[in-house]
Amino acid sequence: MPAQLSQPYNPFRVAQQQLDEAARLLQLDAAVHELLRWPMRELHVTLPVRMDDGAVRIFHGFRVQYNDARGPCKGGIRYHSEETVDTVRALAAWMTWKTAVMDLPLGGGKGGIICDPKQLSAGELERLSRAYIRQVGRILGAEADVPAPDVYTTPQIMAWMMDEFSYQRGYTEFGVITGKPLALGGSAGRGDATARGGMYCLREAAKAQQVDLRCATTAIQGYGNAGSFAHKLGGELLGLKVVAVSDSRGGIYNPAGLDYAAVLAHKQRTGSVIHFPGAQPISNAELLELNVDVLIPAALENAIHQENCERIKARFIAELANGPTTPEADAVLFAKNIIVLPDFLCNAGGVTVSYFEMVQNAYGYYWDEGEVHQRLDQRMTAAFWKVHEVAQQHGVDYRKAAYLVAVSRVAEAVRLRGWA
């Protein structure tokens, strides 16, 4: 039995709690349930990296392979100063359910390094990334575990990692990493895939509720890859009117709407969305409680919790972040008839296009962007309506329904393989 976890609020305990509820509803076999509560394996690594000033600094990292009953593990690598192994465990668990709810032939994994990438030079980032692959590469591979970008990692970092792995093997292996630049076997359509998939999911949810989203007021917490593309695609695909956005330094609000191109240019120029001309300042906490039609949490976990969930007013919550809503908050939101599109369904566009990249790498034949978008739309639409069907059957919210779909698929693979 793994050691007891000591954090007062632990994301892995949240993941386990969510699984436990699904197991109860599914009347899951006790051994299968216990197996699915824990990672199959994990690797902790210590990374000595020479800094630009000649000193050697020690970093710590992780790779968690949660479950590979349905196929190779798949999941991103995060660089964050507050990274913990329990966060990585939780994210690896959610990746297991995410690939299953999308019916991809993959399992779930996640990795991370405790670091502040904003304080590292490009050369230091490269040396850190290569050091990580030198340690973790022994458990990676296209048939075993395929990482991808996540918080504060980029296509360039993926390129360094792929190159280091290939150097170790003595031949180029594009398929070991996804989210790579196009010149190194990346897929068209990968850059905005997380947000695009979320917009497809939101579109279908609105159809199910018979709601017209054109000009629906929208607030976005987090303005990294997922949040900024949600701003862009929300307007282009659904006609959303984004009235508030935020990043780690704060937020901005304008009830008349915020122009995507102007906000992005301001952030690129200044490093933050704050002080955007014509908008009033707003905190991240205040943004979540705005009276808007659509709320898009696209930052980090635990944004919506027991202390603020009663004040949430949005009709739809589209979770582009991982784990932004706690179980206690979920119950309150469901009682308030707020439609929550859970993270491992709503933000599954990223891993889906990563899977497309794996397929293209294996074949050595690449699709154009239009084909990637079409295939992603088909996958997201099918996954949403399967979850919707199960939610209607069981009278539960979409998160529980998504768990029922995903856990039943993984449990079936576990049983058929004779693991429990």
Side-chain angles (χ1 to χ4, degrees), residues 332-343:
V332 173
L333 298 173
F334 186 55
K336 294 176 65 176
N337 294 317
I338 294 174
I339 305 299
V340 179
L341 301 175
D343 48 2

Side-chain angles (χ1 to χ4, degrees), residues 312-380:
I312 302 296
K313 305 177 184 68
R315 175 83 181 271
F316 295 89
I317 298 177
E319 294 184 341
L320 292 186
N322 289 310
T325 307
T326 68
E328 297 82 4
D330 260 332
V332 173
L333 298 173
F334 186 55
K336 294 176 65 176
N337 294 317
I338 294 174
I339 305 299
V340 179
L341 301 175
D343 48 2
F344 70 96
L345 169 65
C346 189
N347 72 21
V351 70
T352 302
V353 177
S354 280
Y355 166 66
F356 295 165
E357 184 174 334
M358 292 172 64
V359 171
Q360 292 169 88
N361 289 161
Y363 275 87
Y365 181 82
Y366 293 84
W367 309 329
D368 62 31
E369 190 171 63
E371 184 167 0
V372 171
H373 292 168
Q374 181 183 21
R375 290 175 181 268
L376 176 61
D377 194 344
Q378 291 170 344
R379 285 275 183 172
M380 294 300 304

Side-chain angles (χ1 to χ4, degrees), residues 171-231:
Y171 54 86
T172 297
E173 186 167 333
F174 286 145
V176 69
I177 299 277
T178 62
K180 305 180 297 294
L182 289 175
L184 295 178
S187 174
R190 179 61 182 88
D192 68 5
T194 299
R196 183 175 292 273
M199 295 305 101
Y200 292 153
C201 188
L202 178 59
R203 179 196 66 202
E204 297 307 305
K207 288 179 184 177
Q209 298 296 318
Q210 298 182 323
V211 172
D212 187 349
L213 290 176
R214 286 174 295 182
C215 295
T217 54
T218 303
I220 303 172
Q221 185 199 46
Y223 213 71
N225 175 278
S228 61
F229 275 122
H231 189 176

